[in-house]
Amino acid sequence: MAQEILGVKLCQLDEKISQLHSHIRQSQLANPDQLCRELETVRRECAATEAALREKLEHSKSSLVSVLAQGYREAEQIIQEEQVSLRQHFAADPPSALEEQLLTAEYALDFAYLASERALLLSLEAIAAEQSQPKEGDSE
């Protein structure tokens, strides 16, 4: 059961990673108008994905999910505060903003990689827990 559920989530993640590659490649070739439209599209998609996750977290009946939802809200607040700080920092020193924005994007990808490693760890733990459960019909 865990493997099927996780398999579906991995397919969704594969699709998103593929889109990430495509967006970055295409944006490097885009003119400023195309890039501006792409930015707005990705902003809308990001907001929609965040809203869908928030909705899913809020409507779950599991007490565990309420703990996850609280952690998500806290992380979301920190991210919003950091975005404001970064915008202020970039505005205060425009000459170094380009290099710093690239560095920020690089670290964001590093954080995403770390999140995928953490997801792998949690997935393996769930699979191991499922496999350690006695199977129906097995005698103890």
Side-chain angles (χ1 to χ4, degrees):
M1 175 75 130
Q3 293 169 338
E4 292 84 15
I5 293 168
L6 298 174
V8 169
K9 288 294 180 183
L10 282 172
C11 286
Q12 292 171 345
L13 182 59
D14 281 343
E15 186 177 318
K16 282 298 180 186
I17 295 295
S18 177
Q19 288 175 357
L20 174 69
H21 281 282
S22 177
H23 283 298
I24 290 174
R25 275 194 303 273
Q26 289 174 0
S27 69
Q28 292 171 335
L29 303 173
N31 67 44
D33 289 338
Q34 291 170 321
L35 187 55
C36 188
R37 285 191 302 274
E38 180 69 9
L39 273 167
E40 286 308 310
T41 299
V42 172
R43 282 187 181 116
R44 280 192 306 274
E45 289 172 358
C46 188
T49 301
E50 287 173 351
L53 178 57
R54 208 175 298 113
E55 179 88 10
K56 198 171 163 182
L57 288 168
E58 289 174 5
H59 288 95
S60 176
K61 293 181 179 14
S62 169
S63 60
L64 172 65
V65 174
S66 66
V67 173
L68 293 172
Q70 178 60 34
Y72 177 76
R73 283 190 295 273
E74 291 171 10
E76 194 174 46
Q77 180 64 35
I78 291 168
I79 289 169
Q80 288 173 358
E81 290 168 4
E82 288 302 314
Q83 286 176 331
V84 169
S85 292
L86 286 171
R87 279 192 209 104
Q88 290 171 345
H89 181 79
F90 294 150
D93 190 7
S96 67
L98 176 60
E99 184 178 323
E100 290 174 345
Q101 284 179 302
L102 182 56
L103 183 63
T104 303
E106 182 182 344
Y107 273 104
L109 290 170
D110 288 341
F111 296 150
Y113 174 74
L114 180 59
S116 71
E117 289 266 308
R118 182 60 71 174
L120 171 61
L121 178 60
L122 293 169
S123 298
L124 293 177
E125 289 172 347
I127 291 168
E130 182 181 61
Q131 288 178 353
S132 69
Q133 295 280 323
K135 302 241 189 300
E136 262 186 50
D138 285 354
S139 59
E140 292 187 45

